[in-house]
Amino acid sequence: GAGADNDLYINQAIVFIEDAIQYRSINHRVDSKSLWLYRWYYSRTCQWILSLTITIILALAFIEEPSSLTVTSDVRYRRPAWNPPCGLTESIELLCFLVFMVDVSVKSYLIGWKEFWKNKWLMAYILTLIVSLADWIVSLSFFCKESVRIRRILRPFFLLQNSSMMKKTLKSINSTLPEMASVVLLLAVHLSLFTMFAMLLFARTKDNQQDKEWVVYFRNLPDSLTSLLVLLTTANNPDVMIPAYSKNRAYSIFFILFTVLGNLFLMNLLTAIIYNQFRGYLLKSVQSSLFRRRLGIRAAFEVLSSLKETPASAQQSCVSVGALLQVLQKAEMDSRCKQAIMRSLKMCSCDQLSAAQFQKLFEELDKDAIKQHPSSPEYQSRFMQKMQFAFGHPYFGYLGNVVALANIISICVVLVMDADKQPSERDDFFLGAINCFFILYYLLEMLLKILAMGLKRYLSYPSNRFDGLLTIILLILEIATFAVYGFPHPGWRPEFMGLLSLWDMVRLVNMLIVFRFLRIIPNMKFMALVVTTLLDLVKNLRAFAGILLVVFYAFAITGIMLFKGAVVPLGNTRYIGNNPNAFVFSLWVNNFFIIFQGKKVISWCFAHFQAEVICCLLYVLSVHLICRWAKIYFVAWWLISSVIWVNLFVALLLENFIHKWDRRCQRESLSDIEYQRTVELMFRDVLEEPTEEELMEKLHQHPHLQLCR
Amino acid sequence: GAGADNDLYINQAIVFIEDAIQYRSINHRVDSKSLWLYRWYYSRTCQWILSLTITIILALAFIEEPSSLTVTSDVRYRRPAWNPPCGLTESIELLCFLVFMVDVSVKSYLIGWKEFWKNKWLMAYILTLIVSLADWIVSLSFFCKESVRIRRILRPFFLLQNSSMMKKTLKSINSTLPEMASVVLLLAVHLSLFTMFAMLLFARTKDNQQDKEWVVYFRNLPDSLTSLLVLLTTANNPDVMIPAYSKNRAYSIFFILFTVLGNLFLMNLLTAIIYNQFRGYLLKSVQSSLFRRRLGIRAAFEVLSSLKETPASAQQSCVSVGALLQVLQKAEMDSRCKQAIMRSLKMCSCDQLSAAQFQKLFEELDKDAIKQHPSSPEYQSRFMQKMQFAFGHPYFGYLGNVVALANIISICVVLVMDADKQPSERDDFFLGAINCFFILYYLLEMLLKILAMGLKRYLSYPSNRFDGLLTIILLILEIATFAVYGFPHPGWRPEFMGLLSLWDMVRLVNMLIVFRFLRIIPNMKFMALVVTTLLDLVKNLRAFAGILLVVFYAFAITGIMLFKGAVVPLGNTRYIGNNPNAFVFSLWVNNFFIIFQGKKVISWCFAHFQAEVICCLLYVLSVHLICRWAKIYFVAWWLISSVIWVNLFVALLLENFIHKWDRRCQRESLSDIEYQRTVELMFRDVLEEPTEEELMEKLHQHPHLQLCR
């Protein structure tokens, strides 16, 4: 009937508008039941369950068998980690797999059979699930004693396929790969030519005293290659050239040439290429998001315009305001946007909306959220007004900053004085007394500010929230200290009591005070700019961080599998105690979860490979083969984590910062208003609006929606 | 008389056009004698003498007293460097000062008294000369035994003031300093807050086993600050966190946070800021160069238009073609440009030139030089034509590349096989024989190419010149080898004869063959692009390199003065032999001329400061105070050389590469033509032409030129 049809159209419009808001594709089934399923699938609960499942399956690695999640990382001291009984993690895994199976079947059903065959991500998803399940069955049939678990390496895929932003970013990275490969090829040519030069230059001579360089760094082809590769990471920079240089200064020319060409030119060229290429692709992906939004809104318009109640007389199709209101009320969207759209709908006097008007209404979605602070309370008494003026004035805030600085300086002075003292000689009285005074001042400042600004206005500023929270924590800590240890007095050095010693309490208070000092940031213009850039960057970086996590997880699991048991404490620390390098290597081998700490770590690992300390250790343990694998593993990790990822990061930072900087100059006057920036908004001024023809063409290609006209 | 006036005008026009060509300011005296002096001063001979003087005075540091220019850098083995007798370097210096005095007086005279007072560079020049002369007199009166020589630190100023490009670049860098200072301030805040955190976190505890972290890295404020500063340079990256991390894994959070914030965010922010700021200033300086050129040409037009022979009737001022021809013949300029301008003058039928036409004629100066290769010879015989086709074909070049690759691979194989052999076991027969064969092929290839292309066309390609030169050198080396050691035969292992041993000869030949392999570069598209970008960069980097040299020279001299005698060989290598660090430090202290090798070197120095090895050594030598000075010195050097200069370099590379890359996409079809790019040409499409009003206003402000109208 017409009523059922109308209901369907309204439901379609709701879903399309929700798609537009979330930048989702509209290419899904549009019959009533599928729409219900679609809305259920994209409801918060469902998505939350899915995210939780992904988190759980990723977190399993921390408690599974070859994990090393213990407090200390020292193989000599640490206790064996808890091993879950066979079947526990496996049953959790099975539950996760069930959720994923539901997920993939709903997704496949919703996009329809035809689209399914085109969607490589879904196919890969199903394949991953099949392989994982097979591996799971194998695992159970071996009673969890099997050595290789392929499904653990596949796990990050579940994270990857669930985020459209990550898939987009991956696509962008994928497009820059040919260019990157060219530079990496150049690097390889550079490396191999210089390796040959080095082998010719530092050949073995008759005088054993003279060929230290050959013995240590250029003994054979793999050694020479590794030496120069490590030089490219700058880890062994002066060391590698010292023997040759001490023989003849002219040898340094070789190393300088290699470093300048490799590090200064080629490595930075990689940055330039990634910046140049990636800039375009990020813009493109944002452009396609915009297209999806416009398309969703247009689709909603088209289905609403085919409602039976609309007069068919008009040549131009249009939508009644009533129908739109109905849709808006049912659609899930940000309440601010909803209200703004409702408001403009009411202000618009017309009864019918054209496509352009319809599109214009939803432009509210693209706008920055402008934050307005509630107003201060208005006091009647003159005294209160004066108080309000005094304590609401920026100078009062500056005074607070000065006091915080004074506190920091006093802590610093005490630290410097106490630096060399034995813990038993330390007198905590002075620090206790001044901290008590300062914390009282902070409390007073907070109360006076609340008085002047009113609680609501006070809390509407992030810096005040930060300040207030820390002040309250400090107050609680201080009260707890006094309750347990009494008031400070000269020679105040009580014994350990309760959960924390007094010294730990004082340290904690001091750290919080240092942390609280960050409240000065909004008062310094350049600092505020930098911090907001960084915060934006963190927002925009989520997709990157996700991909890094995926790569990292795969590497960590591979590393654990490759090096499991490669380093064991050799009884009375014969190798490990004397050998900090081997000891540190054991750190890295046993836990790959904290490996990411800048490029140096990995090159450091290289450098110590070079010194053959670890290889020797591995020889001792008769796992000689591992040494070569480890090299390949580390080279791969270095290339991905430090070379590619760091450069991507630099590219994104450059992009973000330059945009922000240009904008700052334009909007100098509007600096009071806080904008919430996303990667979409950053590019808004360069984005192109899709034309009507493009939208309609795309709509007519929709696999499930049959438009009347 | 009118003739003398006309001569003056012609001379003025000549000088103005030469100014325009060289992007010089036209604000100099314009009377006949001054013009003669001006042309003499800017003649090649004079400028060459000036450059030579600057080179000599800078090079004096290599032979002056605390220098260490010896073959080996090892303080244990090296012989005392040659000490010139007192008065030798001093008299050379005096000669240089005399040249500089002539230079500064001519310059001051030429720009005139009024302008002199506005020109800070000239004032600084005079001041530097006065201080240097005073110091020179002091030096002589102490018979060269004085310890501090201020004039040595001032020397690089003479280099700086002589290059207008360097002065411009310095101005650009100067303008970015406020922004950079903000980030450096941020870094300092970051560092100091984290230092306080670290001191609170890693305080001394009662258990001596547990506070390794405190003992080694965070014993007191300076130590903590240094530890974290070094962590910022990533030199001590995993080492610094190991003791704490082995106690409790959670401590790594502190270090990760510090590294991510400091290294990943703030350091890259510096790159972003420098890139953003510097881009604008480079463009601005190029824009001002363009203005100088247009102004010079306009000034030439104005003086020529006031020649008596011109008909005064015309309302618009104009210039006769004859006068211009006269000027062009006398002006010193690139012969290609001169011919092009003459040609267009002749093609222009008119007798009088308007200002716009005049300006247009000289646009030839801004154009890229298009290189045309001479044509191949035309042979009569069919056979020769076929030969020409075969050996002029690109495939013949590719075959040559394949043969060169085969040669490289064969050398590589021999190197791998011979890597571990004693020199006495080595058999040079195989390598000698195959190299002989390959070199014959190279010779044949060269001759055939010359036959096909003709000598002139062959030599017009840089890759052919490179190829041919190396082939000839290889041939000579091979002939010399055979002449001295006879033809190779199995077991060919002759004794040392002549200048080089056979082994050295073979190595040299092999190195040249590896080097010759670079001829493949133009054949690989991406590689060619990268290499041309790098070459452009080197051209554009001259000003930067100059400034780096200036900074570097000042640092080197300061370092030599600060650390002179700080490290001496302690008899039987008690400290130095066992202590590679101390030994290496002695390297760095004794010769600062090769210090620039990427950022790692300096952070490496830091790291070893940290280990207190060197400080201990300095304690031993009772120069404790130096340790602190050295820290400050190294921090300054790290900031300038690695942080600022490397970032400037990256900014320039990004700029160059992105321009080039965009251009490549536009001119894909024109890739055969070789362009000679300069920084001016790179920006040509974004430069704005100065307007007529601006030019005339500037001309009327000229301090010496009185225009009639």
Side-chain angles (χ1 to χ4, degrees):
Chain A
D5 263 13
N6 275 1
D7 270 2
L8 176 62
Y9 289 145
I10 294 278
N11 278 334
Q12 285 177 350
I14 291 171
V15 169
F16 286 147
I17 282 175
E18 284 175 2
D19 285 344
I21 291 166
Q22 306 287 339
Y23 299 111
R24 286 195 299 248
S25 162
I26 60 162
N27 289 350
H28 50 77
R29 289 177 197 265
V30 289
D31 54 296
S32 285
K33 275 184 188 167
S34 305
L35 283 181
W36 178 85
L37 186 65
Y38 188 82
R39 287 197 80 189
W40 172 81
Y41 177 74
Y42 281 109
S43 68
R44 271 196 204 154
T45 327
C46 270
Q47 291 299 308
W48 186 81
I49 289 172
L50 198 56
S51 310
L52 185 73
T53 314
I54 293 169
T55 316
I56 287 173
I57 204 165
L58 286 180
L60 275 183
F62 285 98
I63 57 162
E64 272 174 348
E65 204 255 300
S67 124
S68 63
L69 198 72
T70 46
V71 171
T72 173
S73 59
D74 193 328
V75 281
R76 287 169 297 168
Y77 305 126
R78 77 162 185 228
R79 296 188 204 147
W82 175 66
N83 272 340
C86 177
L88 179 69
T89 57
E90 280 72 15
S91 44
I92 298 174
E93 253 181 316
L94 187 64
L95 279 178
C96 295
F97 288 149
L98 286 178
V99 173
F100 291 139
M101 278 189 282
V102 172
D103 177 45
V104 78
S105 27
V106 171
K107 259 189 184 163
S108 310
Y109 170 75
L110 282 175
I111 68 163
W113 195 243
K114 261 191 190 168
E115 294 291 301
F116 172 77
W117 288 111
K118 290 182 207 155
N119 194 326
K120 278 173 198 156
W121 279 105
L122 269 184
M123 314 264 279
Y125 195 1
I126 290 175
L127 201 72
T128 311
L129 268 176
I130 291 169
V131 172
S132 296
L133 271 175
D135 193 53
W136 184 84
I137 291 163
V138 169
S139 191
L140 269 201
S141 60
F142 276 95
F143 298 103
C144 320
K145 295 283 172 228
E146 87 291 2
S147 53
V148 180
R149 294 188 190 180
I150 308 159
R151 67 179 188 280
R152 298 179 66 188
I153 303 178
L154 296 178
R155 273 177 201 162
F157 180 82
F158 299 124
L159 176 67
L160 199 62
Q161 65 78 32
N162 194 41
S163 152
S164 68
M165 192 66 197
M166 267 164 76
K167 282 192 269 188
K168 255 187 231 168
T169 310
L170 204 69
K171 216 172 153 190
S172 302
I173 294 175
N174 202 28
S175 323
T176 49
L177 277 185
E179 311 278 341
M180 281 195 238
S182 310
V183 181
V184 171
L185 185 77
L186 263 189
L187 266 178
V189 169
H190 168 76
L191 205 62
S192 50
L193 285 188
F194 269 89
T195 304
M196 288 196 66
F197 265 119
M199 286 184 75
L200 288 165
L201 264 181
F202 308 115
R204 192 171 194 173
T205 53
K206 280 171 192 162
D207 182 4
N208 276 326
Q209 281 291 315
Q210 291 282 300
D211 51 28
K212 268 186 215 151
E213 188 78 37
W214 175 80
V215 169
V216 185
Y217 297 106
F218 298 99
R219 188 175 266 274
N220 49 42
L221 189 70
D223 271 12
S224 314
L225 212 60
T226 316
S227 291
L228 289 181
L229 188 66
V230 178
L231 185 57
L232 208 61
T233 70
T234 72
N236 62 354
N237 188 350
D239 306 312
V240 70
M241 60 175 276
I242 293 311
Y245 180 71
S246 81
K247 199 166 135 197
N248 190 329
R249 280 170 201 257
Y251 281 123
S252 67
I253 296 169
F254 171 81
F255 293 100
I256 292 175
L257 217 64
F258 178 83
T259 312
V260 167
L261 275 178
N263 264 15
L264 220 54
F265 281 92
L266 290 180
M267 283 297 193
N268 287 329
L269 196 68
L270 207 63
T271 312
I273 283 175
I274 291 178
Y275 174 59
N276 196 32
Q277 285 281 318
F278 192 73
R279 189 169 47 159
Y281 283 103
L282 202 63
L283 181 65
K284 222 188 241 175
S285 90
V286 174
Q287 181 77 54
S288 85
S289 288
L290 183 79
F291 188 79
R292 280 185 173 188
R293 173 162 283 181
R294 295 286 178 267
L295 190 66
I297 291 167
R298 183 68 196 214
F301 175 80
E302 291 298 328
V303 293
L304 283 182
S305 73
S306 44
L307 276 177
K308 290 294 175 299
E309 58 191 67
T310 323
S313 63
Q315 282 197 331
Q316 228 187 343
S317 62
C318 51
V319 166
S320 77
V321 170
L324 179 55
L325 275 175
Q326 212 177 331
V327 168
L328 277 179
Q329 264 153 5
K330 284 188 192 164
E332 259 183 53
M333 60 194 291
D334 185 34
S335 64
R336 184 191 59 78
C337 281
K338 197 184 260 188
Q339 280 165 13
I341 294 172
M342 296 279 210
R343 217 179 301 130
S344 21
L345 252 185
K346 273 167 201 158
M347 271 162 63
C348 160
S349 54
C350 52
D351 193 42
Q352 301 283 330
L353 293 168
S354 72
Q357 282 173 316
F358 193 86
Q359 200 72 266
K360 204 168 163 55
L361 269 180
F362 283 93
E363 267 172 21
E364 191 61 39
L365 293 174
D366 306 332
K367 280 186 191 153
D368 300 337
I370 296 174
K371 218 176 180 180
Q372 280 192 318
H373 299 290
S375 56
S376 307
E378 283 180 25
Y379 292 108
Q380 297 302 325
S381 90
R382 290 285 304 274
F383 174 70
M384 285 304 277
Q385 281 175 0
K386 269 184 188 164
M387 290 274 282
Q388 189 173 23
F389 176 77
F391 300 122
H393 200 277
Y395 283 144
F396 186 62
Y398 298 154
L399 179 68
N401 291 344
V402 171
V403 173
L405 184 66
N407 196 353
I408 294 267
I409 291 170
S410 69
I411 292 173
C412 203
V413 168
V414 172
L415 275 180
V416 169
M417 290 192 316
D418 283 359
D420 260 333
K421 279 190 192 156
Q422 287 282 351
S424 53
E425 294 166 21
R426 245 185 244 126
D427 188 356
D428 301 327
F429 167 65
F430 180 65
L431 211 56
I434 54 168
N435 275 351
C436 179
F437 161 74
F438 278 117
I439 288 168
L440 279 180
Y441 175 83
Y442 297 153
L443 184 69
L444 193 72
E445 190 194 4
M446 186 178 78
L447 293 175
L448 285 174
K449 270 196 176 169
I450 291 176
L451 182 84
M453 303 167 83
L455 189 63
K456 272 193 182 167
R457 187 176 168 82
Y458 179 82
L459 286 180
S460 73
Y461 289 95
S463 64
N464 282 343
R465 284 201 296 271
F466 173 80
D467 198 17
L469 187 71
L470 278 180
T471 306
I472 287 169
I473 294 174
L474 281 174
L475 193 70
I476 292 169
L477 272 177
E478 201 71 350
I479 290 170
T481 311
F482 293 157
V484 179
Y485 298 101
F487 286 94
H489 51 82
W492 189 47
R493 214 181 314 125
E495 288 303 294
F496 183 87
M497 283 165 84
L499 198 64
L500 286 170
S501 74
L502 176 65
W503 171 234
D504 287 333
M505 290 286 250
V506 170
R507 281 202 299 167
L508 193 59
V509 166
N510 285 342
M511 276 188 244
L512 286 174
I513 288 172
V514 172
F515 189 56
R516 189 180 168 280
F517 186 64
L518 292 179
R519 58 170 249 164
I520 62 155
I521 286 174
N523 292 124
M524 293 170 77
K525 216 169 177 184
F526 183 79
M527 237 185 195
L529 177 80
V530 165
V531 170
T532 50
T533 310
L534 294 192
L535 289 181
D536 288 356
L537 203 64
V538 169
K539 274 186 214 159
N540 296 343
L541 262 184
R542 273 180 305 187
F544 279 96
I547 289 171
L548 186 74
L549 185 70
V550 166
V551 172
F552 179 59
Y553 195 93
F555 260 94
I557 296 290
T558 319
I560 284 177
M561 275 179 7
L562 274 180
F563 304 122
K564 190 174 69 175
V567 176
V568 290
L570 286 182
N572 45 11
T573 66
R574 194 176 140 212
Y575 281 92
I576 290 169
N578 294 330
N579 221 325
N581 301 327
F583 162 53
V584 169
F585 182 66
S586 78
L587 278 179
W588 293 117
V589 168
N590 279 282
N591 49 76
F592 274 84
F593 287 101
I594 55 121
I595 209 172
F596 176 66
Q597 290 161 46
K599 70 167 184 172
K600 252 310 297 297
V601 166
I602 209 69
S603 47
W604 186 90
C605 278
F606 275 138
H608 290 85
F609 261 115
Q610 192 53 34
E612 291 189 89
V613 171
I614 288 145
C615 282
C616 286
L617 187 77
L618 293 175
Y619 271 117
V620 169
L621 300 171
S622 68
V623 273
H624 172 41
L625 239 174
I626 280 178
C627 192
R628 198 156 288 178
W629 281 111
K631 258 188 197 174
I632 294 170
Y633 176 84
F634 280 127
V635 170
W637 175 246
W638 170 70
L639 267 178
I640 288 173
S641 90
S642 111
V643 177
I644 295 181
W645 198 82
V646 167
N647 277 322
L648 278 173
F649 180 86
V650 171
L652 201 68
L653 194 139
L654 275 173
E655 189 83 348
N656 248 300
F657 185 78
I658 289 172
H659 265 266
K660 189 111 188 173
W661 195 262
D662 293 349
R663 211 171 277 270
R664 190 195 66 146
C665 302
Q666 289 167 22
R667 301 206 187 165
E668 201 73 67
S669 57
L670 297 173
S671 58
D672 273 350
I673 302 166
E674 287 158 35
Y675 289 92
Q676 297 180 342
R677 313 229 129 269
T678 58
V679 68
E680 282 79 26
L681 291 173
M682 201 174 76
F683 286 105
R684 209 179 37 186
D685 23 353
V686 281
L687 286 181
E688 281 175 27
E689 282 289 327
T691 63
E692 170 122 14
E693 286 73 37
E694 284 169 350
L695 287 176
M696 290 312 290
E697 196 198 328
K698 198 78 193 173
L699 268 184
H700 284 293
Q701 286 169 3
H702 194 289
H704 306 290
L705 188 69
Q706 301 303 325
L707 289 178
C708 314
R709 292 169 307 142
Chain B
D5 263 12
N6 276 359
D7 272 1
L8 176 62
Y9 289 145
I10 294 277
N11 278 334
Q12 284 178 349
I14 292 171
V15 169
F16 286 147
I17 282 175
E18 284 174 3
D19 285 345
I21 292 166
Q22 306 286 338
Y23 299 111
R24 285 196 299 248
S25 163
I26 59 162
N27 289 351
H28 50 77
R29 289 177 196 265
V30 288
D31 55 296
S32 285
K33 276 184 186 166
S34 304
L35 282 181
W36 178 84
L37 186 64
Y38 188 82
R39 288 197 78 189
W40 173 81
Y41 177 74
Y42 281 108
S43 70
R44 272 198 200 150
T45 326
C46 269
Q47 291 298 309
W48 187 81
I49 289 172
L50 198 55
S51 309
L52 185 72
T53 314
I54 292 169
T55 315
I56 287 173
I57 203 164
L58 286 179
L60 274 183
F62 286 98
I63 57 162
E64 271 174 349
E65 204 256 299
S67 123
S68 62
L69 199 71
T70 47
V71 171
T72 173
S73 58
D74 194 329
V75 281
R76 288 169 295 169
Y77 304 126
R78 76 161 185 229
R79 296 186 205 150
W82 175 67
N83 273 339
C86 177
L88 180 67
T89 57
E90 281 72 15
S91 43
I92 297 175
E93 252 180 318
L94 188 64
L95 279 177
C96 294
F97 289 148
L98 286 177
V99 173
F100 292 139
M101 278 189 281
V102 172
D103 177 44
V104 78
S105 25
V106 171
K107 259 189 185 163
S108 310
Y109 169 75
L110 282 176
I111 68 163
W113 194 242
K114 261 191 189 168
E115 294 290 302
F116 172 76
W117 287 111
K118 291 182 206 155
N119 194 325
K120 278 175 197 152
W121 281 104
L122 270 185
M123 313 265 278
Y125 195 0
I126 290 174
L127 201 72
T128 311
L129 269 177
I130 291 170
V131 172
S132 297
L133 272 176
D135 193 54
W136 184 85
I137 291 164
V138 169
S139 192
L140 268 201
S141 61
F142 277 95
F143 298 103
C144 321
K145 294 284 173 228
E146 88 292 1
S147 53
V148 180
R149 295 188 190 180
I150 308 160
R151 66 177 188 282
R152 298 180 65 190
I153 304 179
L154 296 178
R155 272 177 199 162
F157 180 83
F158 300 124
L159 176 66
L160 199 62
Q161 65 78 32
N162 194 42
S163 151
S164 68
M165 192 67 197
M166 266 163 78
K167 283 191 269 187
K168 256 188 233 168
T169 309
L170 204 68
K171 217 173 154 190
S172 302
I173 295 175
N174 202 27
S175 324
T176 50
L177 277 186
E179 311 278 344
M180 280 195 238
S182 309
V183 181
V184 172
L185 185 76
L186 263 189
L187 266 178
V189 169
H190 167 76
L191 205 61
S192 50
L193 283 188
F194 269 90
T195 305
M196 288 198 65
F197 265 120
M199 286 183 75
L200 287 165
L201 265 181
F202 309 114
R204 191 170 191 173
T205 52
K206 281 173 191 160
D207 182 5
N208 276 326
Q209 281 291 316
Q210 292 281 301
D211 51 28
K212 267 186 216 152
E213 188 78 36
W214 175 79
V215 169
V216 185
Y217 297 106
F218 297 98
R219 190 176 265 273
N220 48 42
L221 190 69
D223 270 13
S224 314
L225 213 59
T226 316
S227 290
L228 289 181
L229 188 66
V230 177
L231 185 56
L232 209 59
T233 69
T234 72
N236 62 354
N237 188 350
D239 306 312
V240 70
M241 60 174 276
I242 293 313
Y245 179 70
S246 81
K247 200 165 132 197
N248 190 327
R249 281 170 200 258
Y251 281 122
S252 67
I253 296 169
F254 171 82
F255 293 100
I256 292 175
L257 217 64
F258 178 83
T259 312
V260 167
L261 275 178
N263 263 16
L264 219 55
F265 281 93
L266 291 180
M267 283 298 192
N268 287 329
L269 195 68
L270 208 63
T271 312
I273 283 174
I274 291 178
Y275 174 58
N276 194 34
Q277 286 281 316
F278 192 74
R279 190 170 45 160
Y281 284 102
L282 202 62
L283 180 65
K284 223 188 240 175
S285 91
V286 174
Q287 179 79 54
S288 86
S289 288
L290 182 79
F291 188 79
R292 280 186 173 188
R293 173 162 284 180
R294 296 285 178 268
L295 190 66
I297 291 168
R298 183 68 197 215
F301 174 80
E302 292 297 328
V303 292
L304 283 181
S305 73
S306 44
L307 276 176
K308 289 295 176 298
E309 55 191 67
T310 322
S313 62
Q315 282 199 330
Q316 230 188 339
S317 62
C318 50
V319 167
S320 77
V321 171
L324 179 56
L325 275 175
Q326 212 175 331
V327 168
L328 277 179
Q329 265 152 7
K330 284 188 192 165
E332 259 184 52
M333 59 195 291
D334 185 36
S335 63
R336 184 190 59 78
C337 281
K338 197 183 263 189
Q339 281 165 13
I341 294 172
M342 295 279 210
R343 217 179 301 130
S344 23
L345 252 185
K346 273 167 201 158
M347 270 160 64
C348 159
S349 54
C350 53
D351 194 42
Q352 301 283 332
L353 292 167
S354 72
Q357 283 173 315
F358 193 86
Q359 200 71 264
K360 204 169 162 54
L361 269 180
F362 283 93
E363 266 173 19
E364 191 62 39
L365 291 174
D366 306 332
K367 281 186 191 153
D368 300 337
I370 295 174
K371 217 177 180 178
Q372 281 192 319
H373 299 288
S375 56
S376 306
E378 283 179 25
Y379 291 109
Q380 299 300 324
S381 91
R382 290 283 305 273
F383 174 70
M384 285 304 277
Q385 281 174 358
K386 268 185 188 163
M387 290 275 282
Q388 188 172 25
F389 176 78
F391 300 122
H393 200 277
Y395 283 143
F396 187 60
Y398 298 154
L399 179 68
N401 292 345
V402 171
V403 172
L405 183 66
N407 195 354
I408 294 267
I409 290 171
S410 69
I411 292 173
C412 202
V413 168
V414 172
L415 274 180
V416 169
M417 290 193 316
D418 283 358
D420 261 332
K421 279 189 190 157
Q422 287 281 352
S424 53
E425 294 166 21
R426 246 184 244 126
D427 187 355
D428 301 328
F429 167 65
F430 180 64
L431 211 55
I434 55 169
N435 276 350
C436 179
F437 161 73
F438 278 115
I439 289 167
L440 280 179
Y441 176 82
Y442 298 153
L443 185 68
L444 193 71
E445 189 193 4
M446 187 179 76
L447 293 175
L448 287 174
K449 271 194 177 171
I450 292 176
L451 183 83
M453 303 167 84
L455 189 62
K456 272 192 181 169
R457 187 175 168 82
Y458 179 83
L459 287 180
S460 72
Y461 289 95
S463 63
N464 282 342
R465 285 200 295 271
F466 173 80
D467 198 19
L469 187 72
L470 277 180
T471 306
I472 288 168
I473 294 173
L474 281 173
L475 192 71
I476 293 168
L477 271 177
E478 201 71 350
I479 290 170
T481 310
F482 294 155
V484 179
Y485 297 102
F487 285 94
H489 51 83
W492 188 48
R493 213 181 314 125
E495 287 304 294
F496 184 86
M497 282 165 84
L499 198 65
L500 286 168
S501 74
L502 176 65
W503 171 234
D504 288 332
M505 291 285 250
V506 171
R507 282 203 297 168
L508 194 59
V509 167
N510 285 342
M511 277 189 245
L512 287 174
I513 287 172
V514 173
F515 189 56
R516 188 180 169 279
F517 186 63
L518 292 180
R519 58 170 250 164
I520 62 154
I521 287 173
N523 291 125
M524 293 170 78
K525 217 170 179 185
F526 184 79
M527 237 183 193
L529 178 80
V530 165
V531 170
T532 49
T533 311
L534 295 191
L535 290 180
D536 288 355
L537 203 64
V538 169
K539 274 185 213 159
N540 295 344
L541 262 184
R542 272 180 304 187
F544 279 96
I547 288 171
L548 186 73
L549 185 70
V550 166
V551 172
F552 180 60
Y553 195 93
F555 260 94
I557 297 290
T558 318
I560 284 177
M561 274 178 10
L562 273 179
F563 305 122
K564 191 174 68 176
V567 176
V568 291
L570 286 181
N572 44 12
T573 66
R574 194 175 139 214
Y575 280 92
I576 290 171
N578 295 331
N579 221 325
N581 301 326
F583 162 53
V584 170
F585 183 65
S586 78
L587 279 177
W588 293 117
V589 168
N590 279 282
N591 49 78
F592 275 85
F593 286 101
I594 54 120
I595 207 172
F596 177 66
Q597 291 162 44
K599 71 165 185 173
K600 251 311 297 296
V601 167
I602 210 70
S603 47
W604 188 90
C605 279
F606 274 138
H608 290 83
F609 261 116
Q610 192 54 32
E612 291 189 272
V613 172
I614 288 146
C615 282
C616 285
L617 187 77
L618 294 174
Y619 271 117
V620 169
L621 300 171
S622 68
V623 272
H624 171 41
L625 239 173
I626 279 179
C627 190
R628 198 155 290 178
W629 280 111
K631 260 188 198 175
I632 294 169
Y633 176 85
F634 278 128
V635 170
W637 175 247
W638 171 70
L639 267 177
I640 288 172
S641 89
S642 110
V643 177
I644 294 180
W645 197 83
V646 167
N647 277 321
L648 278 173
F649 180 85
V650 171
L652 202 68
L653 193 138
L654 275 174
E655 189 83 347
N656 248 299
F657 185 78
I658 288 172
H659 265 267
K660 190 108 186 175
W661 195 262
D662 294 349
R663 210 171 277 269
R664 188 195 66 144
C665 302
Q666 291 166 21
R667 301 206 187 165
E668 202 71 69
S669 56
L670 297 172
S671 57
D672 273 350
I673 302 165
E674 287 158 35
Y675 288 91
Q676 297 180 341
R677 313 228 130 272
T678 58
V679 68
E680 281 80 26
L681 290 174
M682 201 174 75
F683 287 104
R684 208 179 38 186
D685 23 354
V686 282
L687 286 181
E688 281 174 29
E689 282 290 326
T691 63
E692 170 121 17
E693 287 74 35
E694 283 169 350
L695 287 176
M696 288 312 289
E697 195 198 328
K698 197 78 192 172
L699 268 184
H700 284 293
Q701 286 170 3
H702 194 289
H704 306 290
L705 188 68
Q706 300 302 326
L707 289 179
C708 313
R709 293 167 305 142

